[in-house]
Amino acid sequence: MLRSVILAASRSSRVEQLVATAPFSRDVVRRFVAGAQTADALRVTRELVDGGLAVTLDNLGEDTVTPEQATATRDEYLTLLRQLAEAELTPGAEVSVKLSALGQAFDEQLAYDNARAICAAADAARTTVTLDMEDHTTTDSTLDILAKLRKDYPSTGAVLQAYLRRTESDCRELASAGSRVRLCKGAYKEPESVAYQSTREVDKSYVRCLNILMSGDGYPMLATHDPRLIAIGEDRARWFDRGPERFEFQMLYGIRPEEQARLVGEGYTVRTYVPYGDDWYGYLMRRLAERPANLAFFARALASRK
Ligand SMILES: Cc1cc2nc3c(=O)[nH]c(=O)nc-3n(C[C@H](O)[C@H](O)[C@H](O)COP(=O)(O)OP(=O)(O)OC[C@H]3O[C@@H](n4cnc5c(N)ncnc54)[C@H](O)[C@@H]3O)c2cc1C
């Protein structure tokens, strides 16, 4: 219930205005977001890489409505990739891209062209791109664009969401050699017709999908903070004899950093998803919806600012 309310608020420009201008927001945002500038992204990447982590960087922003905004997002990724290469942070750091930020909602061809330019820049920087997955109305379009990009840039990664009923079948399709697939539970509010609604059903689906990916020929990227699913991932890695170069765990910046360090200590590859930029509202609200306990953190930040 609370999750639905927070996800509804994530789409409300009035609530956005309220939260974005509240003085306490800065402290909360800082926990989950590297900062506003490209330089912040590089600084945090350096810290994480020095701590043994791999990184994927996300320039915050989604639901772009003009070609100019989409081009600006593309250009920011090109700058980021150039600077990452100059700082010798690639291939340890790659980028995650939302097609909706590149124009997908109003011009699929433009989104493809922009994504292709980012893939070319990543290739030149000796690193990779992963296409984030957004709400279910975009899944087919995103997978189509992915297939086209993979023709020239085969290491382009996909994201599949275990809460969607279709995902087991998508996992089978994508568990092939050279295919990088990030498996997550899914962060959007989806109808029953397309998505499992209960935690138990979503978790069971995640395990079925994980089994398909870990027993397949691709490169699974297990994106979860859930202790039970991480333990199952470790178990399947042993079972299918997958060393740290054949799969990875992924977690979000600011969430369970001790667990990220523990897994690195155990010899696993762990990639931290690091968002940066001004447009943090939708991202932050999805994090709060996943764990309403974070609202307490929000409230404490508010109290400490009084
Ligand atoms: C690297 C990465 C990339 C992602 N990319 C996408 C994407 O492209 N599309 C998409 O729809 N979703 C994406 N997600 C989000 C994902 O779908 C889930 O919404 C999110 O990861 C929470 O699910 P969980 O598996 O961690 O399990 P949950 O059941 O939400 O959490 C399990 C446990 O993890 C801890 N935890 C989880 N969330 C938080 C939090 N916010 N704060 C503190 N502790 C927490 C708690 O201990 C909790 O009990 C991504 C997640 C990651 C890690």
Side-chain angles (χ1 to χ4, degrees), residues 36-212:
Q37 311 296 332
T38 319
D40 296 318
L42 264 82
R43 175 181 44 79
V44 168
T45 300
R46 169 73 64 205
E47 284 165 18
L48 294 171
V49 166
D50 286 350
L53 291 152
V55 170
T56 184
L57 281 154
D58 166 41
N59 178 230
L60 288 168
E62 50 202 89
D63 299 334
T64 290
V65 290
T66 67
E68 292 73 25
Q69 282 176 317
T71 306
T73 301
R74 178 201 67 191
D75 291 347
E76 171 54 31
Y77 274 105
L78 302 187
T79 304
L80 173 67
L81 283 160
R82 189 169 29 80
Q83 293 192 11
L84 283 172
E86 281 165 10
E88 297 182 357
L89 286 166
T90 55
E94 64 136 39
V95 295
S96 285
V97 173
K98 283 190 175 47
L99 289 176
S100 75
L102 299 179
Q104 185 182 32
F106 58 89
D107 186 346
E108 257 186 48
Q109 180 63 39
L110 177 71
Y112 166 73
D113 291 342
N114 284 335
R116 196 180 152 77
I118 296 171
C119 288
D123 196 46
R126 292 177 302 109
T127 190
T128 48
V129 176
T130 299
L131 299 184
D132 281 351
M133 192 59 87
E134 302 179 67
D135 73 71
H136 80 277
T137 61
T138 65
T139 309
D140 281 328
S141 155
T142 300
L143 293 179
D144 286 350
I145 291 176
L146 175 86
K148 284 207 280 174
L149 291 170
R150 277 203 169 138
K151 287 191 181 134
D152 288 327
Y153 303 103
S155 63
T156 308
V159 177
L160 296 176
Q161 298 153 315
Y163 64 12
L164 292 185
R165 297 177 192 276
R166 60 178 284 167
T167 293
E168 254 183 277
S169 143
D170 288 333
C171 283
R172 272 190 208 96
E173 286 279 307
L174 288 174
S176 55
S179 167
R180 296 166 62 250
V181 179
R182 172 193 301 160
L183 179 64
C184 64
K185 288 189 185 178
Y188 297 80
K189 180 163 170 43
E190 300 288 15
E192 233 239 298
S193 53
V194 298
Y196 301 112
Q197 302 293 307
S198 75
T199 311
R200 195 176 138 73
E201 278 181 310
V202 175
D203 290 358
K204 279 165 63 183
S205 168
Y206 194 105
V207 175
R208 289 194 299 272
C209 294
L210 180 154
N211 286 338
I212 295 168

